[in-house]
Amino acid sequence: MFINKKEIILNINKIIFSSLDIREVYQTMSKELSKVIDFDRLSVTLITENNDLYENFVLSKDYEYTALKEGVLYPMEGSMMKRVIQFRQPVVVEDTSKGRFFTDTVLYKEGIQSRLGFPLEYKDRVIGSVNFGSKRKDYYTKKHIDFFAQIASQLAMSIENTRLFNRIKEAEEKYRTVIESSPDIIFECAKDGKFLLMSPSVEKMTGCPVNQFYDNRGYGLSLCHADDRERVQHEIFQILNGKNSNLMDMEFRITHKQGQVIWLSLEIIPIKECDEIVGIEGFCRDITERKKLDELKDGLIRDVTHELKTPVAKIEMAIDMFERSITTGNINTLGKGSQIHEILRNNINRLKNTVKNILDISKLESGMEPLKLHDISLIELITQIVSELGNTANTKNLTLTSHLSANLPIIKADRYKIYHLITHLIDNAIKFTEQGKIDIIASVLPDAVQVTIEDTGRGLDEKTKERVFEKFYKETPSTFGAGIGLAICKNIVQLHKGKIWVESEGKGKGSRFKFTLPMTADNK
Amino acid sequence: MKELLIVEDDLEMQEFYKDMLQGEQFTVTLASNGEEGIKKIKEKKYDIVILDILMEGMTGDRLFALLRRDSQYKEVPVIMASALDEKTYQCFQALGNVSFLEKPFNKEKLLDEITKRLEGNK
């Protein structure tokens, strides 16, 4: 019998360490254990970190009652567990009907009459207990305690391993979720260029399947834009050779499998093993959108600068021309004087106009200037503008005609602003039309009035149609004007809660600028 | 007489060039846009080409890049003139034999730049 017990102990230890998770072999172990210690209920309980709760970690499966459930946390206060921990000694309850612990009352109802709680110690700390329950009263004795003492420390170690294993598993799971769900790329790459880790998002970002990275050394580098590759490679070697010891941060372009250029930001740090750099790990983010905005902003600044600097430059050059012609005496010949005069006047006007436009749009955008609403007649207003601009149109041999619906109502609007709006749209039409005609059509819709300025001019392509109302947008940078006029128009229409848009069948096919102004109840 | 081509779409700027170069030792040819510039370059050999940068249609920088790609015009000295900052166009330096002339400029500065460019080509 004694030898048999030793064999059982050996066997139990073997079972305990056959798995990294004790719960997987728990039933086998308890079956083996039942050969030497009789029980009707066997559980392992573990203390939580702050010591006030414990977890019913695992419970024998053949136990039918489930008042104290597996995986559930229970209060430490008033439990047998608390006493086991306090005294670091096995605790025996001879008769649960007279027991002091709240668990006794619960288990008594399930038919458990006596109990034995055995502390599980790991590295001088009680981590939990093993609890036997028997349907017989006063069942557990020193014999059981002595026997289990030979298994307890192994079991404790195994449980601690399980917990550790679970923590690693959880951490790894979290890490994997982060990597797999992140839109950014997280990677590890060995010194020889072999990828050890590459997040799946790389496929979306580059258009290349993730296994291409695992299968081909230095594959990432081959995607780099030709102009950036050398620089990226150089920086990475600096890190690998320990010349750039810490974090490296850079921006570069790659070419997507489908041809488009993608801007990435890359941060890499060296991976060290025993002070030796064995690879790099890095983090990569798509910054294409940000780069596009930057470019747009730079473009805006450049265009405005150009628009302000050009007339100033020409005024300066005209003055220089004037001074030279005085010296040479040319000022009174060849019409030089009037030529200089004209250049000066043109450019002062251009400058004045740009400054005024910039101030206008700033005022409109800041909302500092509220609408001054009055009853206005579109018929009267358009007729006035058409007669004012008639001459300008005539000098280019363009016909300017208005077609005004007789039932156009009086509307409430800011007269000055609507005047500016229509004038600018017609001005623009004249500017961009070389031959043909410009028609101004005003008609009544169910709940708005609509004005159309139609020309036979150069028209707009799709891209320009989309952007033409943007501030500082110019189809060609050299075009006269700061590219603010239509942005101002849009602002004016929006302040009146109307809509503005442009229609054009394409380049060279003319264009129709249209806007609506809503008719409020009293407008009707 | 040195042959000079000026590609500039601004008529007033053209007047300044004409005025400044009048009576100097150059034959001046004007082109009013990039396309016309290309046509002129193909017709005759020029000793120096002055390019405005922001032009409608083909811009000066594109025209310049085209010239440098063509072995026949790889060496033509070029001056890029613009109201933009010089640093915006530094990248073209790499294509060689080009300098930058910031607007506004006066007669002395223009002649000086042309002379330097011509000498640079010797």
Side-chain angles (χ1 to χ4, degrees):
Chain A
M1 183 68 189
F2 187 67
I3 288 170
N4 191 19
K5 270 189 182 173
K6 236 185 175 170
E7 262 173 29
I8 287 170
I9 290 173
L10 269 174
N11 211 12
I12 287 175
N13 283 341
K14 228 187 271 171
I15 293 168
I16 286 174
F17 288 104
S18 69
S19 165
L20 278 172
D21 191 337
I22 186 74
R23 284 168 294 195
E24 284 174 10
V25 293
Y26 186 73
Q27 301 311 327
T28 328
M29 183 204 76
S30 56
K31 211 169 158 195
E32 195 67 19
L33 194 61
S34 68
K35 287 179 186 167
V36 275
I37 307 178
D38 198 29
F39 56 83
D40 294 297
R41 181 185 189 276
L42 179 69
S43 72
V44 175
T45 48
L46 298 175
I47 313 163
T48 58
E49 262 170 43
N50 48 5
N51 278 333
D52 57 352
L53 295 170
Y54 71 88
E55 181 191 357
N56 215 5
F57 186 60
V58 66
L59 188 67
S60 42
K61 288 280 182 291
D62 47 357
Y63 185 70
E64 348 168 355
Y65 304 96
T66 53
L68 298 171
K69 291 188 181 78
E70 206 172 274
V72 176
L73 293 171
Y74 294 97
M76 199 79 132
E77 202 50 51
S79 70
M80 181 163 81
M81 180 89 197
K82 184 163 185 183
R83 195 164 170 85
V84 171
I85 289 163
Q86 243 172 6
F87 294 97
R88 292 192 161 203
Q89 291 290 331
V91 172
V92 172
V93 177
E94 285 119 9
D95 183 355
T96 51
S97 68
K98 293 172 195 152
R100 293 165 293 171
F101 311 120
F102 84 85
T103 42
D104 289 338
T105 328
V106 177
L107 292 174
Y108 177 70
K109 282 184 194 153
E110 296 175 6
I112 300 298
Q113 303 261 8
S114 62
R115 302 169 71 193
L116 162 64
F118 203 98
L120 287 172
E121 287 183 67
Y122 180 76
K123 286 191 177 167
D124 276 345
R125 194 170 61 86
V126 180
I127 58 166
S129 68
V130 178
N131 314 291
F132 296 87
S134 173
K135 288 184 174 168
R136 279 171 280 176
K137 220 180 266 182
D138 200 9
Y139 179 71
Y140 295 107
T141 61
K142 189 169 181 300
K143 179 185 77 181
H144 297 114
I145 293 172
D146 287 345
F147 178 77
F148 194 71
Q150 299 174 70
I151 303 168
S153 66
Q154 308 290 351
L155 191 59
M157 195 190 291
S158 164
I159 284 169
E160 198 55 30
N161 282 347
T162 302
R163 291 219 276 198
L164 195 65
F165 174 66
N166 281 338
R167 273 206 293 271
I168 294 170
K169 223 161 67 176
E170 259 169 44
E172 201 243 13
E173 193 71 29
K174 263 187 212 157
Y175 184 55
R176 209 182 23 228
T177 316
V178 167
I179 290 181
E180 278 175 5
S181 62
S182 167
D184 303 317
I185 297 174
I186 296 159
F187 68 91
E188 279 175 29
C189 183
K191 203 167 182 169
D192 63 0
K194 190 172 165 48
F195 280 99
L196 309 171
L197 173 80
M198 175 55 83
S199 38
S201 55
V202 77
E203 183 160 347
K204 199 172 166 223
M205 213 183 274
T206 65
C208 307
V210 67
N211 56 352
Q212 297 251 30
F213 290 85
Y214 287 118
D215 296 346
N216 304 294
R217 278 181 195 183
Y219 188 70
L221 214 50
S222 69
L223 295 175
C224 273
H225 193 278
D227 295 346
D228 293 343
R229 193 175 302 142
E230 209 174 305
R231 180 168 59 95
V232 175
Q233 190 164 7
H234 174 78
E235 293 287 339
I236 290 173
F237 279 136
Q238 290 278 325
I239 289 265
L240 284 173
N241 296 330
K243 285 182 183 140
N244 202 340
S245 54
N246 289 316
L247 178 90
M248 184 215 79
D249 187 359
M250 63 189 304
E251 292 177 355
F252 62 97
R253 290 158 294 177
I254 59 161
T255 311
H256 190 278
K257 202 91 201 197
Q258 277 160 3
Q260 69 269 38
V261 170
I262 309 281
W263 271 99
L264 298 180
S265 80
L266 171 69
E267 285 173 23
I268 53 174
I269 49 168
I271 306 175
K272 284 184 185 170
E273 258 170 36
C274 308
D275 271 349
E276 195 195 338
I277 296 165
V278 294
I280 49 168
E281 55 187 333
F283 177 85
C284 216
R285 172 167 283 178
D286 186 339
I287 54 163
T288 315
E289 283 303 309
R290 200 196 80 202
K291 280 282 172 188
K292 271 189 196 155
L293 277 179
D294 284 355
E295 267 166 36
L296 194 68
K297 199 181 71 197
D298 291 348
L300 279 184
I301 293 169
R302 204 187 59 187
D303 289 350
V304 177
T305 310
H306 187 256
E307 200 46 42
L308 289 169
K309 278 179 91 174
T310 302
V312 174
K314 288 206 286 189
I315 290 166
E316 215 177 315
M317 289 173 85
I319 292 169
D320 177 61
M321 193 163 156
F322 173 74
E323 287 166 354
R324 259 181 303 115
S325 59
I326 297 253
T327 327
T328 55
N330 278 345
I331 187 78
N332 295 316
T333 58
L334 308 160
K336 195 112 286 184
S338 65
Q339 188 192 13
I340 294 169
H341 175 243
E342 199 187 319
I343 294 176
L344 283 173
R345 205 182 47 199
N346 276 348
N347 285 286
I348 294 282
N349 280 343
R350 181 172 174 182
L351 198 57
K352 242 170 67 182
N353 203 33
T354 303
V355 172
K356 182 183 174 298
N357 276 340
I358 291 176
L359 290 178
D360 278 354
I361 190 108
S362 311
K363 262 194 263 172
L364 281 172
E365 283 187 342
S366 68
M368 299 240 288
E369 208 179 24
L371 291 179
K372 296 189 188 84
L373 295 178
H374 293 290
D375 287 342
I376 65 165
S377 154
L378 276 179
I379 298 184
E380 181 253 317
L381 188 63
I382 294 173
T383 311
Q384 182 198 334
I385 298 169
V386 168
S387 89
E388 282 172 8
L389 293 175
N391 271 341
T392 327
N394 283 341
T395 53
K396 284 184 87 176
N397 280 325
L398 303 170
T399 333
L400 183 61
T401 327
S402 59
H403 313 263
L404 310 172
S405 165
N407 59 348
L408 275 175
I410 302 290
I411 56 164
K412 275 216 184 317
D414 188 317
R415 190 178 197 282
Y416 173 78
K417 290 200 170 65
I418 301 295
Y419 172 86
H420 180 100
L421 163 72
I422 298 172
T423 306
H424 185 83
L425 290 176
I426 300 177
D427 251 343
N428 247 14
I430 296 172
K431 187 166 139 192
F432 294 110
T433 305
E434 300 315 321
Q435 56 182 3
K437 60 193 183 97
I438 293 155
D439 291 304
I440 295 98
I441 306 132
S443 54
V444 186
L445 302 181
D447 51 2
V449 288
Q450 178 172 306
V451 178
T452 305
I453 289 93
E454 180 166 4
D455 65 48
T456 53
R458 60 174 81 166
L460 300 110
D461 57 23
E462 284 302 315
K463 190 184 145 209
T464 314
K465 267 199 281 188
E466 265 174 42
R467 300 194 54 193
V468 76
F469 293 104
E470 280 174 28
K471 199 166 42 170
F472 303 121
Y473 178 76
K474 289 203 284 183
E475 195 183 0
T476 42
S478 63
T479 315
F480 184 90
I484 301 181
L486 285 176
I488 291 178
C489 289
K490 187 181 176 185
N491 240 297
I492 292 174
V493 173
Q494 282 176 342
L495 277 176
H496 284 85
K497 303 200 167 22
K499 290 195 183 80
I500 186 166
W501 70 99
V502 60
E503 297 168 355
S504 174
E505 268 68 59
K507 278 269 174 203
K509 293 185 178 159
S511 55
R512 289 181 301 277
F513 279 85
K514 295 188 172 187
F515 69 86
T516 60
L517 296 173
M519 288 189 286
T520 55
D522 36 299
N523 275 340
K524 284 181 188 171
Chain B
M1 290 273 260
K2 293 286 183 191
E3 290 288 344
L4 197 65
L5 175 67
I6 296 166
V7 188
E8 170 64 77
D9 66 343
D10 185 319
L11 297 179
E12 292 172 345
M13 277 306 299
Q14 288 190 2
E15 291 304 317
F16 293 134
Y17 279 115
K18 275 195 258 178
D19 185 70
M20 287 180 193
L21 296 170
Q22 199 182 28
E24 298 299 325
Q25 296 301 299
F26 305 111
T27 313
V28 178
T29 308
L30 286 159
S32 295
N33 54 55
E35 290 79 3
E36 197 187 326
I38 289 269
K39 220 177 103 200
K40 293 255 156 80
I41 288 169
K42 284 183 177 161
E43 281 167 10
K44 192 158 87 182
K45 190 182 176 299
Y46 289 96
D47 298 298
I48 195 156
V49 177
I50 299 179
L51 290 174
D52 176 37
I53 293 174
L54 292 179
M55 286 187 291
E56 205 169 324
M58 183 187 287
T59 55
D61 48 334
R62 266 185 58 209
L63 173 53
F64 176 60
L66 275 179
L67 286 183
R68 288 296 178 256
R69 239 177 275 153
D70 192 322
S71 58
Q72 211 181 331
Y73 310 110
K74 233 182 152 97
E75 305 296 330
V76 185
V78 168
I79 295 172
M80 302 259 245
S82 176
L84 295 166
D85 285 350
E86 181 171 1
K87 68 168 187 281
T88 322
Y89 287 92
Q90 262 168 4
C91 49
F92 290 101
Q93 220 88 50
L95 296 176
N97 216 354
V98 62
S99 57
F100 188 86
L101 181 63
E102 190 178 351
K103 293 174 183 173
F105 50 85
N106 57 25
K107 183 173 174 155
E108 288 67 38
K109 210 162 144 195
L110 174 65
L111 292 179
D112 187 45
E113 202 57 53
I114 294 174
T115 317
K116 267 201 284 187
R117 210 82 307 267
L118 286 172
E119 279 170 1
N121 202 35
K122 266 177 196 168

